Amino acid sequence: MYQETIITACLTLAWGCDGARILGLAAFSMRSHWIVMEPLFQELAARGHNVTVLSSFPQKTPLPNYTDIDFSDRLKPIMNEFSVEMIRKRVSSPWATTFFFRDVHGDSCKVLDEPEYQNLLKAQDQYDLVITEVFGSDCFAYYAHKLNIPMIAVTTSMAMPWAADRFGMPDNPSYILNYFQRFGPDMSLWERIYNTVTLLYGKFWHLWIFSRETQAMVEKSFGEPLPPVDVVVANTSMYFINSYHALLQSRPYPPNVVEVGGIHIKKRKPLSKDLQEILDNAKQGAIIMSFGSLVRAATLPKPIIMMFMKVFSKIPQTVIFKYEEDLPEAPPNVVIRKWLSQRDLIEHKNVIAVIQHGGLSSTIEAVHFGKPMIGIPFFADQKGNIKHLERRDTCIQLDFDNLSEEAVSTAVSEIINNPKYTENMRRLSEQFRDRPMTALQSAVYWTEYVIRHHGAPHLQPASVHLPFYQYLLLDVVAIFVISLLALIYALYFLVSRTLAALGWNAAKSVKQAKASKKIN
């Protein structure tokens, strides 16, 4: 503890800058997104910056330097709101997921007409920095433009397909997997084709269609003509991504893009007395089963729930299951709770495995604490997250559409009894934790760097402002092609003229020879 205090003090001296006025626009009301952004706001306030946050998640206890503007009555927090059937119907493919993101995040843009947001338009010289989220819509990026201040964007998942161009991130689909994919990095020809098509599809709709809708919506709210979205977001100073190369994929990032995967992992809070006793007494080990804060586990088909209960009844381990309703059919070794803090549970030494959906924050928690997983992904990036762990032998994936008692029983037995999963996950955990700074320290350092250097435009690659034909060297290729064609034509012209001349001379010689013979 003493060492941590010394380190924190040293970092404060090293990074310190005068207290800035920071505006946090976290209007997207999913709790799984908020938990990634909240620690940064809290830490910036703790370091003396004046932080004003507009969100649906006000602090339970007021914090110094932290001002909440509560929107929970107008943007209801999304927790346990979605049924499994609805998610699988609306987000069944990359094509549908693109529109789902637009619709869900676009709904949050409706707050632009609220008085608190309208007042921001008059807040010239009141803020030094905007922090907002990159997900479906870019409507909140216009506040940085309007207030003429730097902006930091946060993505609570891996990088979104449409974010690459605005930050100068390479996204070559020959080896870089996009958000929608479940493949490994060594893709087959078909997988590379699919990866390319879904990447271009997501970019097309977001950059060419949705961005125009966003611009029209913001212009209506602001009451004035505004630049296109691509011009506004191209001036983003920094991009924080909730990923880390040890967990997902190693890929090149420019200096204005920083991975902060694990930023949401805070110090452990004490468990309730009953859960603490349950885990302490789980001498055979405990398994945590949770499908996150978005999907209601109680909406799983009843036969699937009963199938899991039957499998659990045959093992000696304790199972703690997040289930939002009463479940009288649960066997004695299954503990039902309507809400669980997975982070606080899985750190316990007796927890030996986690069964979950593959949401990125939940996956990061399992990796951070070295707990092997059984993954049952439903939608979006969950299949890809599980795939990255599966290829490292730290996780077993089950297909929701083909769940059977035998498949579940085999997976549970394998994850419990085969030590390779625990050993590999602990190795991955060491790689994930081994960094020069924690994720939160990195985010704070680069936030203050942007403040100190007035937006740090020197970090931005020149590619951000290049037309696509220059970025892809199409003009250079065109010059090469034209030059090559001109050279080929010149050679053709020269050769054909030469051959024609030689042919004419030869023909002339033949005619002269024939003429001589006739005379003779």
Side-chain angles (χ1 to χ4, degrees):
M1 186 67 183
Y2 177 75
Q3 289 179 336
E4 290 181 1
T5 304
I6 295 296
I7 291 173
T8 302
C10 292
L11 291 174
T12 301
L13 290 172
W15 301 347
C17 60
D18 294 335
R21 300 160 300 176
I22 298 172
L23 177 63
L25 303 180
F28 192 53
S29 58
M30 282 187 180
R31 183 182 180 277
S32 57
H33 290 235
W34 169 248
I35 63 173
V36 176
M37 302 184 72
E38 181 187 35
L40 178 58
F41 295 142
Q42 291 176 333
E43 184 63 18
L44 289 170
R47 290 173 59 80
H49 301 289
N50 294 307
V51 180
T52 301
V53 179
L54 286 73
S55 78
S56 298
F57 300 92
Q59 299 297 304
K60 295 179 180 178
T61 303
L63 300 176
N65 305 320
Y66 190 111
T67 302
D68 267 314
I69 299 180
D70 185 6
F71 274 81
S72 58
D73 58 334
R74 287 159 284 184
L75 281 175
K76 182 181 176 183
I78 302 175
M79 297 170 58
N80 297 326
E81 293 287 329
F82 295 164
S83 69
V84 173
E85 180 182 2
M86 186 276 284
I87 282 291
R88 289 170 56 77
K89 183 179 295 185
R90 288 197 61 189
V91 201
S92 57
S93 68
W95 329 113
T97 301
T98 300
F99 285 87
F100 177 77
F101 287 170
R102 188 276 305 265
D103 294 343
V104 173
H105 200 209
D107 286 343
S108 64
C109 294
K110 295 176 181 178
V111 300
L112 296 179
D113 293 326
E114 296 292 332
E116 295 90 339
Y117 274 92
Q118 287 294 310
N119 289 338
L120 291 178
L121 301 178
K122 309 168 189 175
Q124 298 290 340
D125 300 322
Q126 293 184 23
Y127 296 101
D128 303 304
L129 178 71
V130 170
I131 300 177
T132 189
E133 182 177 359
V134 173
F135 187 57
S137 174
D138 291 304
C139 56
F140 300 101
Y142 276 94
Y143 285 95
H145 167 77
K146 185 68 177 177
L147 300 177
N148 194 29
I149 56 177
M151 179 176 71
I152 291 177
V154 181
T155 287
T156 58
S157 63
M158 64 184 291
M160 305 308 294
W162 41 83
D165 299 328
R166 70 183 66 174
F167 300 110
M169 294 181 350
D171 60 350
N172 187 333
S174 67
Y175 74 100
I176 296 176
L177 298 166
N178 72 65
Y179 177 90
F180 301 110
Q181 295 316 319
R182 60 189 182 277
F183 311 130
D186 299 324
M187 292 178 281
S188 65
L189 174 60
W190 161 245
E191 290 171 342
R192 282 184 282 119
I193 292 173
Y194 192 68
N195 191 42
T196 302
V197 171
T198 53
L199 175 67
L200 295 177
Y201 178 87
K203 282 190 172 189
F204 169 77
W205 280 102
H206 190 89
L207 300 178
W208 292 95
I209 308 299
F210 300 159
S211 62
R212 296 179 183 179
E213 296 175 357
T214 297
Q215 181 183 352
M217 183 188 308
V218 179
E219 286 181 337
K220 181 180 179 181
S221 178
F222 286 15
E224 60 180 283
L226 294 165
V229 169
D230 62 318
V231 174
V232 172
V233 299
N235 293 315
T236 308
S237 298
M238 185 69 61
Y239 186 31
F240 294 149
I241 306 174
N242 186 34
S243 65
Y244 194 62
H245 55 265
L247 170 61
L248 298 178
Q249 183 186 13
S250 177
R251 58 178 291 184
Y253 288 121
N256 60 332
V257 177
V258 177
E259 293 184 297
V260 295
I263 190 174
H264 72 290
I265 298 178
K266 302 179 180 179
K267 291 183 178 180
R268 184 186 182 190
K269 296 178 181 178
L271 297 172
S272 62
K273 184 178 179 181
D274 62 332
L275 282 178
Q276 186 67 50
E277 290 179 353
I278 289 169
L279 286 174
D280 289 343
N281 294 327
K283 304 304 180 184
Q284 298 292 323
I287 298 172
I288 309 300
M289 183 169 173
S290 173
F291 295 108
S293 62
L294 182 62
V295 176
R296 286 177 57 84
T299 64
L300 287 165
K302 198 69 172 181
I304 290 181
I305 296 297
M306 292 300 98
M307 182 174 60
F308 274 104
M309 295 304 106
K310 187 174 181 180
V311 171
F312 294 155
S313 69
K314 298 176 182 178
I315 62 175
Q317 285 75 24
T318 299
V319 179
I320 302 177
F321 181 22
K322 175 184 171 290
Y323 194 78
E324 299 80 15
E325 298 176 1
D326 294 332
L327 190 61
E329 302 90 344
N333 65 324
V334 175
V335 179
I336 302 297
R337 290 290 183 273
K338 294 182 179 180
W339 177 257
L340 293 175
S341 174
Q342 176 179 289
R343 178 262 170 272
D344 298 325
L345 285 170
I346 65 175
E347 188 176 0
H348 196 285
K349 64 179 181 179
N350 287 343
V351 173
I352 59 174
V354 180
I355 301 174
Q356 55 130 308
H357 59 307
L360 187 53
S361 292
S362 297
T363 300
I364 286 174
E365 291 168 1
V367 170
H368 182 86
F369 294 109
K371 309 295 182 177
M373 285 174 39
I374 294 175
I376 309 173
F378 295 126
F379 70 103
D381 62 333
Q382 295 172 3
K383 290 184 178 180
N385 298 336
I386 295 296
K387 184 67 177 180
H388 283 297
L389 295 184
E390 187 180 35
R391 65 187 177 87
R392 292 182 171 97
D393 281 337
T394 60
C395 173
I396 297 173
Q397 176 171 285
L398 294 177
D399 183 1
F400 183 82
D401 292 322
N402 295 298
L403 284 177
S404 66
E405 182 181 338
E406 181 182 1
V408 173
S409 180
T410 300
V412 170
S413 177
E414 180 74 2
I415 209 76
I416 291 173
N417 298 314
N418 191 333
K420 76 172 184 179
Y421 294 99
T422 299
E423 293 169 0
N424 290 336
M425 184 61 96
R426 286 175 179 170
R427 186 178 301 113
L428 179 58
S429 177
E430 291 174 359
Q431 295 169 358
F432 182 78
R433 292 171 179 241
D434 192 357
R435 324 181 190 192
M437 291 186 284
T438 67
L440 181 57
Q441 288 170 348
S442 296
V444 169
Y445 172 82
W446 286 108
T447 299
E448 294 185 339
Y449 186 96
V450 168
I451 295 169
R452 286 195 300 270
H453 298 285
H454 310 288
H458 57 281
L459 296 180
Q460 189 178 69
S463 62
V464 172
H465 301 286
L466 288 179
F468 82 95
Y469 69 87
Q470 290 185 16
Y471 177 71
L472 296 176
L473 287 179
L474 298 182
D475 50 348
V476 175
V477 172
I479 294 298
F480 285 162
V481 171
I482 292 172
S483 299
L484 180 61
L485 292 176
L487 178 61
I488 293 172
Y489 179 77
L491 290 173
Y492 170 78
F493 181 81
L494 180 62
V495 170
S496 61
R497 287 290 183 177
T498 302
L499 292 177
L502 292 174
W504 184 81
N505 289 333
K508 184 177 180 181
S509 298
V510 170
K511 287 180 179 179
Q512 289 176 346
K514 287 181 178 179
S516 295
K517 288 180 179 180
K518 287 181 179 179
I519 294 173
N520 294 332

